[in-house]
Amino acid sequence: MIKTSYVSKTISELKPSGIRRFFDLAANLEGVVSLGVGEPDFVTSWAVREAAINSLEEGYTSYTANAGLYELRSEISGYMEKQFHVSYRPEDQIIVTVGASQALDIALRTILNPGEEVIVVEPCFVAYAPLVTMAGGIPVTVQTSKEDDFKLTPQQLEAAITPKTKAVLICSPNNPTGTQLGQEELVMLADIVKKHDLLVISDEIYAELAYDETFTSFAAIDGMLERTIVINGFSKGFAMTGWRLGFVCAPKEISEAMLKLHQYAMMCAPTVAQHAALEALKHGMQDVEEMRRSYRRRRNYIVKSFNEIGLDCHNPGGAFYAFPSIEKTGMTSMEFAEKLLTEELVAVVPGDVFGESGEGHIRCSYASSMEQLQEALRRMERFMKNHCK
Amino acid sequence: MHLNEEELEVLRIIENNSRIDMKDLAKMTDQSESDIEITLKKLEDMRVIVRYLTVINWAKVDEYHGVTAMIDVKVTPKRGVGFDEVAKRIYKFKEVQSVYLMSGAYDLSVIVEGRSMNEVASFVSEKLSTLDSVISTTTHFIMKKYKHDGTIFEQTEEDKRIVVSP
Ligand SMILES: Cc1ncc(COP(=O)(O)O)c(C=O)c1O
């Protein structure tokens, strides 16, 4: 007898990412100006690439310690202290991972018992809810709105908590909205987290890309160090997406448990990438600063321009995404994105792929050259003139 | 002189593209167009902005036959005026593109452009080395420019990203 399917029920029931679908639409067209890219337009700085080449020349081609090169963990520890004022011991509180993606995966799989709930704040990174499901948990989504600048309110958080709630997954600055939570907002959320004895998984992958307010780590809030798992990495701030390198910092108990999982499932992160990351942390902070400045200019440009052409857009404090409303066109975000792609060859990501509350919006990445942005704006202005009621 | 963050930001942007649309520059820096104009005028008046230049890769243009030489010049400094006087006498020649006072084995680095090697050679032997304070000159001709004033001449790095990603 042949089984109806060899694929597990959990996986077969997962929806494929809406981003994937949109990629398939856009990939076959010529002359597309893309605002659909969730990664820096900078190539990793040459000094970092050179360090990787050198590490290969030196013959560093074997495994590292499971948790990552000790020297790199030390450097990460210093970086966390200096940038965010949080202390993590390199020995047993930091694990170098294959991107922030793997850090999220091991964090969730380490803490969740079957059926436990994780609060996921939408619109959010497409992988969050599936990762919770794959870890055996239940994602409980909370919808934020543009009236609150897409910020999770303490009331919303409290209302979503049930006896089964284990953790809250927070991302600030956010993909896709660019919204950054300020220190006071974090303090208010922390009070509720503490009151209900929850964990926070704080995805801080965009921490280096904060333009107006200094970035505050959730772990730096009073009493949160012992109940926060910080996810971070090199993809965005250091322009190193393809290197697949991230890290996770957590209290010792959790970190040691995550290491078991990491050790059996992954062994260690790629050695050449770890050497590159070491160079990035040691000598790359000025490059980060220059990239941040450049994104900030482009953020200013694109948000102002969107508002001029009728795409109402709140001012995102960080990351490299603008999330304007397309309300004036009366289209759904999928209709808008498809029409914009076929009529004007501009790729943006329909907001609903990031969750229900993203409907009525499009995600536009401004990690593109000014020339590309100017061209995209010219085309979008024409599009809005043709389609605005 | 002290510049504020807005003025610095304008400089950083136009250093890479002095032809940028003023409206876009205003948006990028979150200022009004008239503020930008005032800033530029001020920076020009202070000679912080000295000139708006274009980087051209002349090697690509068949009609161009120029050559560039970098010349190490040793000089005897004059009492009271040091190196400044001789530097001034040198930089006034129209063939001279740049003059730098250097530390190390020689004193002045002089960059000279001419239509041919011959032209540069006669400039060096007749004009430069005959100056009173000049002790010696060593001329190096530039054979190929790979990177000039921070700009790589050959290829630009193309965008290798996929069109849509998370
Ligand atoms: C919020 C967020 N978290 C995590 C990731 C994944 O990062 P990494 O490349 O380090 O796996 C992304 C990438 O788009 C992201 O936007």
Side-chain angles (χ1 to χ4, degrees):
Chain A
M1 248 261 300
I2 292 185
K3 291 192 190 72
T4 40
S5 169
Y6 291 111
V7 178
S8 82
K9 196 158 157 295
T10 314
I11 302 301
S12 62
E13 281 172 5
L14 279 182
K15 272 198 313 219
S17 157
I19 291 224
R20 187 73 233 167
R21 196 174 98 66
F22 211 73
F23 168 77
D24 292 339
L25 279 177
N28 302 319
L29 294 167
E30 292 273 316
V32 172
V33 176
S34 183
L35 306 182
V37 188
E39 59 181 321
D41 61 319
F42 297 99
V43 177
T44 310
S45 82
W46 174 246
V48 172
R49 285 185 275 162
E50 214 278 330
I53 295 168
N54 187 56
S55 89
L56 292 177
E57 280 178 351
E58 299 272 321
Y60 287 111
T61 58
S62 30
Y63 295 130
T64 67
N66 293 130
L69 287 169
Y70 185 79
E71 201 188 346
L72 176 57
R73 278 180 281 147
S74 279
E75 207 60 51
I76 291 171
S77 169
Y79 168 79
M80 293 300 285
E81 180 81 54
K82 181 154 174 277
Q83 299 290 97
F84 313 125
H85 317 291
V86 286
S87 297
Y88 289 103
R89 279 188 307 274
E91 292 81 13
D92 53 13
Q93 297 189 312
I94 298 172
I95 301 170
V96 179
T97 58
V98 181
S101 301
Q102 194 223 343
L104 282 163
D105 184 38
I106 60 172
L108 289 163
R109 285 203 280 154
T110 296
I111 61 168
L112 288 177
N113 294 305
E116 283 179 337
E117 295 174 353
V118 177
I119 294 172
V120 176
V121 188
E122 287 185 347
C124 68
F125 180 42
V126 293
Y128 288 168
L131 281 171
V132 173
T133 308
M134 288 190 283
I138 299 169
V140 173
T141 53
V142 175
Q143 308 295 334
T144 57
S145 67
K146 80 164 181 281
E147 287 68 38
D148 296 323
D149 273 348
F150 298 103
K151 288 176 177 174
L152 173 69
T153 65
Q155 296 75 16
Q156 279 180 310
L157 174 59
E158 188 132 43
I161 294 170
T162 75
K164 286 197 195 142
T165 308
K166 186 68 167 276
V168 196
L169 183 36
I170 301 268
C171 177
S172 160
N174 181 275
N175 172 10
T177 61
T179 291
Q180 184 186 343
L181 299 173
Q183 178 159 4
E184 277 164 40
E185 283 142 357
L186 293 177
V187 168
M188 289 194 295
L189 296 174
D191 285 342
I192 293 164
V193 167
K194 284 184 269 188
K195 183 169 135 200
H196 293 271
D197 193 21
L198 305 178
L199 278 169
V200 167
I201 299 177
S202 180
D203 185 343
E204 304 184 356
I205 189 80
Y206 294 102
E208 287 294 350
L209 307 180
Y211 309 119
D212 304 325
E213 275 179 65
T214 42
F215 172 82
T216 307
S217 169
F218 220 133
I221 305 293
D222 235 11
M224 286 306 293
L225 192 63
E226 54 267 35
R227 52 173 76 250
T228 303
I229 303 176
V230 173
I231 309 289
N232 207 326
F234 298 87
S235 286
K236 315 289 173 167
F238 294 87
M240 292 177 67
T241 45
W243 299 80
R244 308 311 304 128
L245 211 67
F247 58 89
V248 50
C249 305
K252 181 166 175 235
E253 185 206 358
I254 298 177
S255 172
E256 287 184 339
M258 282 193 294
L259 186 60
K260 282 197 261 178
L261 185 40
H262 175 71
Q263 153 186 330
Y264 293 133
M266 200 59 65
M267 208 82 117
C268 66
T271 304
V272 59
Q274 293 191 50
H275 283 277
L278 194 53
E279 168 69 22
L281 284 181
K282 277 186 161 163
H283 305 118
M285 294 317 288
Q286 199 181 334
D287 293 325
V288 174
E289 166 78 33
E290 272 166 36
M291 291 190 274
R292 174 172 45 238
R293 242 194 241 124
S294 168
Y295 291 131
R296 182 170 193 275
R297 285 169 202 149
R298 294 184 258 167
R299 188 272 315 253
N300 292 345
Y301 169 75
I302 201 169
V303 172
K304 280 194 159 60
S305 304
F306 278 163
N307 281 315
E308 279 175 12
I309 65 171
L311 287 164
D312 299 331
C313 189
H314 77 121
N315 192 33
F320 35 60
Y321 308 107
F323 202 61
S325 160
I326 53 158
E327 207 174 312
K328 291 202 174 122
T329 64
M331 298 180 211
T332 67
S333 55
M334 188 54 89
E335 279 165 6
F336 183 98
E338 281 190 18
K339 268 210 172 74
L340 181 64
L341 183 62
T342 48
E343 287 177 20
E344 295 288 352
L345 293 176
V346 177
V348 300
V349 183
D352 65 332
V353 313
F354 306 99
E356 227 174 276
S357 48
E359 182 49 83
H361 295 80
I362 49 171
R363 190 194 73 175
C364 304
S365 160
Y366 48 85
S368 277
S369 68
M370 266 306 289
E371 291 71 31
Q372 291 277 299
L373 295 182
Q374 286 162 330
E375 179 58 29
L377 251 308
R378 270 191 288 277
R379 298 183 188 188
M380 288 171 88
E381 179 169 17
R382 192 162 53 207
F383 185 82
M384 289 302 285
K385 279 202 183 116
N386 293 339
H387 292 283
C388 248
K389 293 181 198 150
Chain B
M1 68 198 61
H2 262 303
L3 299 184
N4 62 31
E5 188 45 46
E6 283 77 28
E7 290 161 344
L8 286 170
E9 186 66 357
V10 167
L11 287 180
R12 291 185 199 115
I13 296 171
I14 63 166
E15 184 176 23
N16 283 317
N17 180 9
S18 56
R19 293 192 67 207
I20 186 146
D21 188 303
M22 283 303 120
K23 223 162 77 200
D24 292 347
L25 180 57
K27 282 187 197 166
M28 287 162 84
T29 53
D30 206 5
Q31 295 184 64
S32 69
E33 270 181 81
S34 56
D35 281 347
I36 291 284
E37 263 167 42
I38 293 167
T39 302
L40 286 175
K41 177 82 173 52
K42 174 184 162 192
L43 293 167
E44 285 162 14
D45 288 346
M46 294 194 305
R47 284 185 71 74
V48 171
I49 295 174
V50 185
R51 187 146 71 106
Y52 297 93
L53 275 179
T54 311
V55 179
I56 295 172
N57 186 0
W58 281 112
K60 285 199 132 169
V61 180
D62 290 340
E63 285 69 19
Y64 180 77
H65 302 291
V67 290
T68 309
M70 301 175 79
I71 306 162
D72 312 341
V73 185
K74 281 189 191 163
V75 300
T76 24
K78 285 237 175 83
R79 192 186 298 275
V81 289
F83 293 101
D84 295 355
E85 192 190 85
V86 59
K88 193 167 173 181
R89 288 191 64 182
I90 293 173
Y91 71 54
K92 286 194 169 169
F93 287 108
K94 72 165 179 10
E95 293 88 340
V96 173
Q97 298 301 309
S98 333
V99 179
Y100 308 110
L101 179 62
M102 308 295 287
S103 68
Y106 55 94
D107 306 304
L108 297 173
S109 174
V110 177
I111 297 177
V112 173
E113 260 179 40
R115 269 172 305 204
S116 64
M117 247 156 126
N118 252 340
E119 192 176 290
V120 173
S122 42
F123 173 78
V124 175
S125 58
E126 288 163 24
K127 294 282 192 308
L128 193 57
S129 52
T130 54
L131 284 175
D132 235 5
S133 358
V134 169
I135 304 165
S136 74
T137 62
T138 312
T139 304
H140 315 271
F141 282 101
I142 290 177
M143 294 163 67
K144 180 173 179 179
K145 286 184 188 171
Y146 293 99
K147 187 175 183 181
H148 179 79
D149 280 355
T151 306
I152 294 171
F153 271 6
E154 277 303 306
Q155 86 306 350
T156 50
E157 258 174 308
E158 69 191 277
D159 196 338
K160 299 191 178 70
R161 300 173 300 168
I162 55 176
V163 196
V164 177
S165 71

